[in-house]
Amino acid sequence: MNHPALWRRLLAEFIGTALLVTAVVGSGIMAVTLSPDDIGLQLLENSVATALALGALILMFGPVSGAHFNPVVSAADWFLGRRAGTGLTAREFGGYAVAQTVGAVVGSVLANLMFDLAAVDLSGRQRAAGHLWLGEVVATTGLVLLVFALARSGRAAAAPAAVGAYIGAAYWFTSSTSFANPAVTVGRAFTDTFAGIAPGSVPAFVVAQLVGSAVGIGLVVALYPEADRAAGDVVVPVVEGSTDR
């Protein structure tokens, strides 16, 4: 399959991740504004907006880049696809991870500016505890398993609804409210709002996400031995197109 030019895919990952973080942070700010005395309602508003935005963004950018928006997903795609020659190359994975991380930071800045806050305001919200790290392991494991199960079973077209639904649900059933994404975790350190995370809490969250990714990959290999052949369909298959640079 001929993929769109790499710069187009990186642009899609950058914009998609930026808009995802804008949705996460912006809906968190709006939730606190509209429901200042009800944390449960704030979380509901934040999770619903995030789930719907994620599904829409996958539909929007999936045909160009696959709509990974997550270095963990891109890493799993590269790792599992190496043997069969599918999925991302090492060079493409590196580009995806950088584009996603920079996009996530830009998304936080954009959300801050939209709500008339300082463009960059490092979060003071500490999220450092063993049970939160365990929540991230669980959330990330489930995400990786879901994405590759969809690809391996030929149901990648269901990814917008399925991934959005999983992340929306994981807000509620994980102790960490399911960051499950190293790039988004970094981006959320740049906003001192409802969705923020203190910079000092970021490294442990990222480590927990990497552990979850490894567990998820192990489960994918055990449950779907030929998943490597479907790595090119993660999250949404990119369309055939120009290979010009």
Side-chain angles (χ1 to χ4, degrees), residues 215-234:
V215 174
I217 290 172
L219 290 175
V220 168
V221 171
L223 296 171
Y224 301 96
E226 297 183 357
D228 55 345
R229 299 182 183 180
D233 294 338
V234 174

Side-chain angles (χ1 to χ4, degrees), residues 9-104:
R9 287 184 278 153
L10 297 182
L11 181 61
E13 289 295 304
F14 168 80
I15 297 174
T17 310
L19 290 176
L20 174 59
V21 174
T22 299
V24 172
V25 174
S27 63
I29 297 171
M30 183 63 80
V32 172
T33 301
L34 297 177
S35 311
D37 300 318
D38 193 332
I39 296 178
L41 186 55
Q42 292 170 10
L43 185 61
L44 177 62
E45 293 161 346
N46 189 211
S47 63
V48 169
T50 299
L52 294 176
L54 179 56
L57 291 170
I58 292 173
L59 286 171
M60 193 182 307
F61 296 106
V64 180
S65 67
H68 294 183
F69 309 149
N70 189 336
V72 159
V73 173
S74 298
D77 185 42
W78 163 74
F79 183 83
L80 289 172
R82 292 174 307 154
R83 184 172 56 187
T86 59
L88 298 177
T89 65
R91 171 172 172 262
E92 290 170 336
F93 161 54
Y96 268 49
V98 170
Q100 292 155 355
T101 303
V102 174

Side-chain angles (χ1 to χ4, degrees), residues 11 38 43 45 52 82 85 89 94 112 117 120 132 136 139 141 145 191 198 205 220 228 235 238:
L11 181 61
D38 193 332
L43 185 61
E45 293 161 346
L52 294 176
R82 292 174 307 154
T89 65
N112 288 338
L117 302 174
V120 174
L132 300 180
E136 281 302 287
T141 297
L145 186 55
T191 181
F205 259 57
V220 168
D228 55 345
V235 172
V238 297

